[in-house]
Amino acid sequence: LSEDIEPIVRRAVARNPNAPKNILEKLSKDKDDGVLIGVAENKNTPLEVLERLSASESEEVRRAVAKNENCAPTTLDKLSTDRSVLVRRAVAGNKNASGNTLSRLSMDGDLIVKLEVAGNTSTPWAVLINLSNEKEASIRAAVAGNTATLNATLDKLAMDGDPSVRLAVARNRITRTETLEKFANEQDPIVKLAVAQNINTPPSVLAVLAGDSDPAVRLAVVYNRNTPIKVLQMLSNDKNRMISELAKERLLLRNAVR
């Protein structure tokens, strides 16, 4: 099939995750760009083949190489200076990219390249600290949502003036209890909902959110495993019938496992 006259067949072989390395190496010399893209995307493709394809005249082939999770850091470093912004964006989002490569890309003039770096868990913490000071809120939000971001940086971003940044902190699964306590007096409804849903939110903050005017926030408090029994008892008398009934169910479940 790798020698089939129809390009569509050879493309399918090139994209097959079970394709042998020798077949992929052979297909890497195909004249059809669609076949070459398939080879460049395939995780079984040998590193030396990806290195060769990284010099392709086709932007899409180089982009496919840059997106390949098994691509060598040295190849990604070379592609990080590619003339195509699409290729650089792909490198910036690749977790195999080295710290030096990501550091360089953090200074790229393209916003999306910076966003990819800010959200990449392989990005060095020092680079994330620098990006957390960017004027563009979307970049700070990407840092706030990154599980590689330092606690101290998340603490700072929890007080950010832009709600999208605070929302990212509230949704981050590594955000500490101490940081979530800063949201006790949060005013933005979407951020409050995210805090109420976070399994790391402390009981003291959940108790405050249990009195929120937004039923969606109170409902999230009911479902949060950290919500104290006393708070569930209060919510069992909520004016919203669905919330009160669910609070009663949660109380029964809590009592059953005690």
Side-chain angles (χ1 to χ4, degrees):
L1 292 177
S2 64
E3 298 178 349
D4 197 281
I5 191 172
E6 292 294 334
I8 191 171
V9 176
R10 302 198 305 279
R11 290 175 187 176
V13 175
R15 286 183 166 83
N16 192 316
N18 295 318
K21 291 184 177 181
N22 63 315
I23 295 298
L24 291 169
E25 185 168 5
K26 179 179 180 180
L27 287 172
S28 71
K29 300 173 183 177
D30 200 282
K31 294 182 179 181
D32 181 78
D33 276 357
V35 174
L36 297 181
I37 291 170
V39 173
E41 291 176 342
N42 201 310
K43 294 181 180 180
N44 284 340
T45 299
L47 295 181
E48 60 272 19
V49 173
L50 290 176
E51 171 65 25
R52 175 160 48 80
L53 290 176
S54 71
S56 171
E57 293 182 2
S58 168
E59 176 188 59
E60 287 303 314
V61 173
R62 300 197 309 277
R63 182 187 185 190
V65 172
K67 290 175 67 175
N68 194 312
E69 295 177 359
N70 290 334
C71 189
T74 51
T75 302
L76 291 172
D77 189 63
K78 182 180 74 172
L79 289 171
S80 69
T81 59
D82 197 276
R83 62 184 179 276
S84 168
V85 68
L86 296 178
V87 175
R88 299 199 305 277
R89 288 173 182 175
V91 175
N94 195 317
K95 291 179 174 54
N96 243 12
S98 70
N100 288 336
T101 298
L102 294 170
S103 179
R104 182 189 309 117
L105 287 171
S106 72
M107 296 179 282
D108 196 278
D110 181 71
L111 172 61
I112 296 179
V113 170
K114 283 190 172 184
L115 284 172
E116 291 288 350
V117 174
N120 194 324
T121 54
S122 294
T123 299
W125 59 263
V127 175
L128 292 175
I129 289 176
N130 288 335
L131 291 173
S132 72
N133 295 316
E134 285 278 340
K135 290 183 178 180
E136 174 58 46
S138 60
I139 295 177
R140 301 198 306 277
V143 174
N146 193 326
T147 55
T149 299
L150 291 177
N151 290 325
T153 305
L154 291 176
D155 284 345
K156 181 190 73 172
L157 292 173
M159 306 302 290
D160 196 277
D162 192 289
S164 67
V165 178
R166 301 196 303 277
L167 176 62
V169 175
R171 285 178 170 170
N172 195 323
R173 60 181 173 82
I174 69 158
T175 299
R176 297 181 304 171
T177 295
E178 294 83 354
T179 304
L180 291 166
E181 286 176 344
K182 298 178 185 292
F183 292 111
N185 299 313
E186 175 63 45
Q187 296 301 309
D188 187 274
I190 299 179
V191 177
K192 284 191 290 188
L193 178 60
V195 175
Q197 292 172 329
N198 194 312
I199 59 173
N200 293 327
T201 298
S204 58
V205 176
L206 290 170
V208 173
L209 294 174
D212 196 84
S213 59
D214 188 344
V217 173
R218 301 198 305 277
L219 183 61
V221 172
V222 171
Y223 278 116
N224 196 307
R225 68 187 185 191
N226 284 341
T227 299
I229 288 180
K230 286 185 178 181
V231 174
L232 286 175
Q233 289 171 339
M234 180 189 79
L235 289 170
S236 68
N237 296 313
D238 196 275
K239 59 185 178 181
N240 183 299
R241 183 176 179 182
M242 181 172 69
I243 293 175
S244 63
E245 292 300 318
L246 285 170
K248 291 173 184 176
E249 289 182 14
R250 300 292 285 186
L251 282 168
L252 289 173
L253 286 172
R254 290 279 190 93
N255 290 329
V257 296
R258 290 177 70 182

